[in-house]
Short mmCIF file of all heavy atoms in Angstrom, two decimals:
data_model
loop_
_atom_site.label_atom_id
_atom_site.label_comp_id
_atom_site.label_asym_id
_atom_site.label_seq_id
_atom_site.Cartn_x
_atom_site.Cartn_y
_atom_site.Cartn_z
N ALA A 45 87.42 -21.80 97.66
CA ALA A 45 88.67 -22.19 97.06
C ALA A 45 89.84 -21.40 97.62
O ALA A 45 90.91 -22.00 97.90
CB ALA A 45 88.55 -22.03 95.53
N ILE A 46 89.67 -20.12 97.85
CA ILE A 46 90.73 -19.30 98.40
C ILE A 46 91.04 -19.76 99.84
O ILE A 46 92.20 -19.83 100.28
CB ILE A 46 90.38 -17.84 98.39
CG1 ILE A 46 90.42 -17.34 96.93
CG2 ILE A 46 91.30 -16.99 99.27
CD1 ILE A 46 89.83 -15.94 96.76
N ALA A 47 90.02 -20.06 100.63
CA ALA A 47 90.22 -20.45 102.00
C ALA A 47 91.04 -21.73 102.15
O ALA A 47 91.68 -21.94 103.11
CB ALA A 47 88.84 -20.63 102.70
N ARG A 48 90.94 -22.60 101.14
CA ARG A 48 91.68 -23.86 101.19
C ARG A 48 92.98 -23.89 100.38
O ARG A 48 93.54 -24.90 100.17
CB ARG A 48 90.80 -25.01 100.71
CG ARG A 48 89.63 -25.25 101.63
CD ARG A 48 88.85 -26.50 101.15
NE ARG A 48 88.54 -26.34 99.74
CZ ARG A 48 87.33 -26.41 99.19
NH1 ARG A 48 86.34 -26.63 100.00
NH2 ARG A 48 87.16 -26.20 97.95
N ALA A 49 93.35 -22.70 99.86
CA ALA A 49 94.49 -22.64 99.00
C ALA A 49 95.79 -23.04 99.70
O ALA A 49 96.00 -22.75 100.83
CB ALA A 49 94.66 -21.22 98.45
N GLU A 50 96.61 -23.80 99.00
CA GLU A 50 97.92 -24.24 99.50
C GLU A 50 98.90 -24.02 98.38
O GLU A 50 98.58 -24.27 97.19
CB GLU A 50 97.91 -25.70 99.88
CG GLU A 50 96.89 -26.00 100.99
CD GLU A 50 96.71 -27.52 101.16
OE1 GLU A 50 96.80 -28.29 100.18
OE2 GLU A 50 96.54 -27.97 102.29
N ILE A 51 100.11 -23.61 98.64
CA ILE A 51 101.12 -23.45 97.63
C ILE A 51 101.48 -24.81 97.05
O ILE A 51 101.53 -24.98 95.81
CB ILE A 51 102.34 -22.71 98.17
CG1 ILE A 51 101.95 -21.28 98.58
CG2 ILE A 51 103.49 -22.72 97.15
CD1 ILE A 51 103.02 -20.52 99.32
N ILE A 52 101.74 -25.76 97.86
CA ILE A 52 101.93 -27.15 97.45
C ILE A 52 100.84 -27.99 98.11
O ILE A 52 100.76 -28.06 99.35
CB ILE A 52 103.36 -27.66 97.84
CG1 ILE A 52 104.41 -26.90 97.07
CG2 ILE A 52 103.47 -29.18 97.56
CD1 ILE A 52 105.84 -27.31 97.37
N PRO A 53 99.95 -28.61 97.33
CA PRO A 53 98.83 -29.33 97.91
C PRO A 53 99.20 -30.31 98.97
O PRO A 53 100.17 -31.11 98.83
CB PRO A 53 98.24 -30.05 96.69
CG PRO A 53 98.65 -29.17 95.51
CD PRO A 53 99.98 -28.70 95.87
N GLY A 54 98.55 -30.25 100.10
CA GLY A 54 98.73 -31.15 101.24
C GLY A 54 99.86 -30.73 102.16
O GLY A 54 100.04 -31.38 103.22
N MET A 55 100.58 -29.70 101.83
CA MET A 55 101.71 -29.26 102.70
C MET A 55 101.44 -27.88 103.23
O MET A 55 100.84 -27.02 102.53
CB MET A 55 103.05 -29.28 101.91
CG MET A 55 103.36 -30.64 101.24
SD MET A 55 103.41 -31.98 102.43
CE MET A 55 104.89 -31.60 103.31
N PRO A 56 101.88 -27.57 104.44
CA PRO A 56 101.65 -26.22 104.98
C PRO A 56 102.55 -25.19 104.22
O PRO A 56 103.58 -25.55 103.73
CB PRO A 56 102.10 -26.35 106.45
CG PRO A 56 102.96 -27.52 106.51
CD PRO A 56 102.52 -28.48 105.38
N ASP A 57 102.09 -23.95 104.16
CA ASP A 57 102.86 -22.92 103.52
C ASP A 57 103.99 -22.40 104.40
O ASP A 57 105.04 -21.98 103.92
CB ASP A 57 101.97 -21.69 103.16
CG ASP A 57 100.88 -22.08 102.16
OD1 ASP A 57 101.05 -23.07 101.41
OD2 ASP A 57 99.85 -21.38 102.12
N ALA A 58 103.78 -22.45 105.69
CA ALA A 58 104.83 -21.99 106.63
C ALA A 58 104.88 -22.84 107.88
O ALA A 58 103.84 -23.45 108.25
CB ALA A 58 104.54 -20.54 107.04
N ILE A 59 106.06 -22.95 108.51
CA ILE A 59 106.26 -23.75 109.73
C ILE A 59 107.11 -22.88 110.64
O ILE A 59 108.05 -22.24 110.26
CB ILE A 59 107.03 -25.04 109.41
CG1 ILE A 59 106.12 -25.91 108.47
CG2 ILE A 59 107.34 -25.81 110.66
CD1 ILE A 59 106.86 -27.15 107.97
N VAL A 76 110.71 -18.81 111.27
CA VAL A 76 109.66 -19.18 110.34
C VAL A 76 110.30 -19.71 109.06
O VAL A 76 111.20 -19.12 108.48
CB VAL A 76 108.77 -17.97 110.01
CG1 VAL A 76 107.69 -18.36 109.06
CG2 VAL A 76 108.23 -17.38 111.32
N PHE A 77 109.77 -20.85 108.62
CA PHE A 77 110.20 -21.48 107.38
C PHE A 77 109.08 -21.47 106.33
O PHE A 77 107.93 -21.76 106.68
CB PHE A 77 110.65 -22.93 107.61
CG PHE A 77 111.85 -23.00 108.52
CD1 PHE A 77 111.66 -23.01 109.93
CD2 PHE A 77 113.10 -23.10 108.02
CE1 PHE A 77 112.72 -23.05 110.77
CE2 PHE A 77 114.17 -23.20 108.89
CZ PHE A 77 113.99 -23.15 110.28
N TYR A 78 109.45 -21.07 105.10
CA TYR A 78 108.39 -20.99 104.07
C TYR A 78 108.64 -22.07 103.04
O TYR A 78 109.82 -22.37 102.71
CB TYR A 78 108.49 -19.60 103.39
CG TYR A 78 108.22 -18.48 104.39
CD1 TYR A 78 109.27 -17.83 104.98
CD2 TYR A 78 106.91 -18.16 104.72
CE1 TYR A 78 109.01 -16.77 105.92
CE2 TYR A 78 106.65 -17.15 105.63
CZ TYR A 78 107.69 -16.47 106.25
OH TYR A 78 107.45 -15.52 107.15
N VAL A 79 107.60 -22.63 102.50
CA VAL A 79 107.67 -23.70 101.53
C VAL A 79 108.50 -23.15 100.36
O VAL A 79 108.30 -22.02 99.90
CB VAL A 79 106.35 -24.26 101.13
CG1 VAL A 79 105.53 -23.24 100.35
CG2 VAL A 79 106.49 -25.52 100.32
N SER A 80 109.46 -23.93 99.84
CA SER A 80 110.35 -23.47 98.79
C SER A 80 110.23 -24.33 97.53
O SER A 80 110.22 -23.83 96.43
CB SER A 80 111.78 -23.46 99.30
OG SER A 80 112.65 -23.08 98.28
N ALA A 81 110.14 -25.70 97.72
CA ALA A 81 110.12 -26.55 96.52
C ALA A 81 109.60 -27.93 96.91
O ALA A 81 109.72 -28.42 98.05
CB ALA A 81 111.54 -26.71 95.98
N GLN A 82 109.03 -28.58 95.91
CA GLN A 82 108.72 -29.98 96.06
C GLN A 82 109.80 -30.74 95.26
O GLN A 82 109.96 -30.50 94.07
CB GLN A 82 107.32 -30.32 95.51
CG GLN A 82 106.89 -31.72 95.89
CD GLN A 82 105.39 -31.88 95.66
OE1 GLN A 82 104.76 -31.31 94.81
NE2 GLN A 82 104.80 -32.72 96.51
N LEU A 83 110.54 -31.59 95.95
CA LEU A 83 111.64 -32.29 95.33
C LEU A 83 111.17 -33.53 94.54
O LEU A 83 110.11 -34.08 94.77
CB LEU A 83 112.62 -32.67 96.43
CG LEU A 83 113.08 -31.51 97.32
CD1 LEU A 83 113.97 -31.98 98.42
CD2 LEU A 83 113.75 -30.45 96.52
N ASP A 87 109.88 -35.33 98.77
CA ASP A 87 110.05 -34.48 99.95
C ASP A 87 109.71 -33.03 99.58
O ASP A 87 109.70 -32.63 98.42
CB ASP A 87 111.50 -34.56 100.47
CG ASP A 87 111.81 -35.88 101.11
OD1 ASP A 87 110.95 -36.77 101.20
OD2 ASP A 87 113.00 -36.06 101.49
N THR A 88 109.42 -32.24 100.58
CA THR A 88 109.11 -30.82 100.41
C THR A 88 110.16 -30.00 101.19
O THR A 88 110.42 -30.31 102.34
CB THR A 88 107.67 -30.47 100.89
OG1 THR A 88 106.75 -31.33 100.21
CG2 THR A 88 107.33 -29.04 100.58
N LEU A 89 110.76 -29.03 100.50
CA LEU A 89 111.83 -28.26 101.11
C LEU A 89 111.29 -26.92 101.59
O LEU A 89 110.49 -26.25 100.91
CB LEU A 89 112.89 -27.99 100.03
CG LEU A 89 114.09 -27.15 100.41
CD1 LEU A 89 114.96 -27.91 101.45
CD2 LEU A 89 114.95 -26.79 99.22
N TYR A 90 111.72 -26.51 102.75
CA TYR A 90 111.36 -25.22 103.37
C TYR A 90 112.63 -24.47 103.69
O TYR A 90 113.65 -25.07 104.05
CB TYR A 90 110.57 -25.43 104.70
CG TYR A 90 109.17 -25.98 104.48
CD1 TYR A 90 108.96 -27.31 104.14
CD2 TYR A 90 108.07 -25.18 104.58
CE1 TYR A 90 107.71 -27.83 103.93
CE2 TYR A 90 106.80 -25.64 104.34
CZ TYR A 90 106.64 -26.98 104.02
OH TYR A 90 105.37 -27.48 103.81
N LYS A 91 112.56 -23.13 103.59
CA LYS A 91 113.74 -22.28 103.87
C LYS A 91 113.29 -21.13 104.77
O LYS A 91 112.18 -20.64 104.69
CB LYS A 91 114.33 -21.69 102.58
CG LYS A 91 114.92 -22.68 101.65
CD LYS A 91 115.51 -21.93 100.43
CE LYS A 91 116.10 -22.90 99.42
NZ LYS A 91 116.65 -22.17 98.26
N ILE A 102 110.37 -32.03 104.73
CA ILE A 102 109.30 -32.86 105.15
C ILE A 102 109.23 -34.03 104.20
O ILE A 102 109.12 -33.81 103.00
CB ILE A 102 107.93 -32.13 105.23
CG1 ILE A 102 108.03 -30.96 106.20
CG2 ILE A 102 106.85 -33.08 105.63
CD1 ILE A 102 106.77 -30.13 106.29
N ARG A 125 100.65 -28.83 112.93
CA ARG A 125 99.40 -28.15 112.51
C ARG A 125 98.45 -28.03 113.69
O ARG A 125 97.91 -26.96 113.90
CB ARG A 125 98.65 -28.97 111.45
CG ARG A 125 99.28 -28.86 110.07
CD ARG A 125 98.35 -29.57 109.06
NE ARG A 125 98.94 -29.83 107.79
CZ ARG A 125 98.88 -29.05 106.74
NH1 ARG A 125 98.24 -27.90 106.86
NH2 ARG A 125 99.46 -29.34 105.62
N ALA A 130 102.30 -25.03 112.12
CA ALA A 130 102.37 -25.34 110.65
C ALA A 130 101.00 -24.86 110.09
O ALA A 130 99.98 -25.28 110.64
CB ALA A 130 102.61 -26.77 110.41
N PHE A 131 101.05 -23.98 109.13
CA PHE A 131 99.78 -23.42 108.65
C PHE A 131 99.91 -22.93 107.23
O PHE A 131 100.98 -22.84 106.69
CB PHE A 131 99.38 -22.24 109.57
CG PHE A 131 100.47 -21.29 109.80
CD1 PHE A 131 100.67 -20.19 108.99
CD2 PHE A 131 101.32 -21.44 110.90
CE1 PHE A 131 101.71 -19.31 109.19
CE2 PHE A 131 102.37 -20.56 111.13
CZ PHE A 131 102.56 -19.51 110.26
N ASN A 132 98.76 -22.56 106.64
CA ASN A 132 98.70 -22.01 105.31
C ASN A 132 98.53 -20.51 105.43
O ASN A 132 97.82 -20.00 106.28
CB ASN A 132 97.57 -22.63 104.51
CG ASN A 132 97.87 -24.09 104.21
OD1 ASN A 132 99.00 -24.48 104.00
ND2 ASN A 132 96.85 -24.88 104.13
N LEU A 133 99.17 -19.82 104.51
CA LEU A 133 99.01 -18.37 104.42
C LEU A 133 97.67 -18.11 103.74
O LEU A 133 97.17 -18.91 102.96
CB LEU A 133 100.11 -17.77 103.58
CG LEU A 133 101.54 -18.06 104.11
CD1 LEU A 133 102.55 -17.56 103.14
CD2 LEU A 133 101.75 -17.52 105.49
N THR A 134 97.03 -16.99 104.08
CA THR A 134 95.77 -16.67 103.51
C THR A 134 95.78 -15.25 102.88
O THR A 134 96.63 -14.48 103.25
CB THR A 134 94.62 -16.68 104.55
OG1 THR A 134 94.94 -15.73 105.59
CG2 THR A 134 94.43 -18.06 105.12
N MET A 135 94.88 -15.05 101.95
CA MET A 135 94.81 -13.74 101.32
C MET A 135 93.54 -13.07 101.81
O MET A 135 92.51 -13.68 101.97
CB MET A 135 94.70 -13.90 99.83
CG MET A 135 95.98 -14.47 99.22
SD MET A 135 95.93 -14.80 97.40
CE MET A 135 94.76 -13.65 96.78
#
Side-chain angles (χ1 to χ4, degrees):
I46 290 170
R48 292 185 309 236
E50 299 169 325
I51 295 171
I52 295 179
M55 303 305 289
D57 297 336
I59 298 173
V76 180
F77 296 85
Y78 300 96
V79 67
S80 178
Q82 190 164 32
L83 306 176
D87 290 357
T88 304
L89 180 68
Y90 290 76
K91 293 181 182 180
I102 300 178
R125 283 187 196 268
F131 50 89
N132 292 326
L133 304 174
T134 58
M135 294 176 29

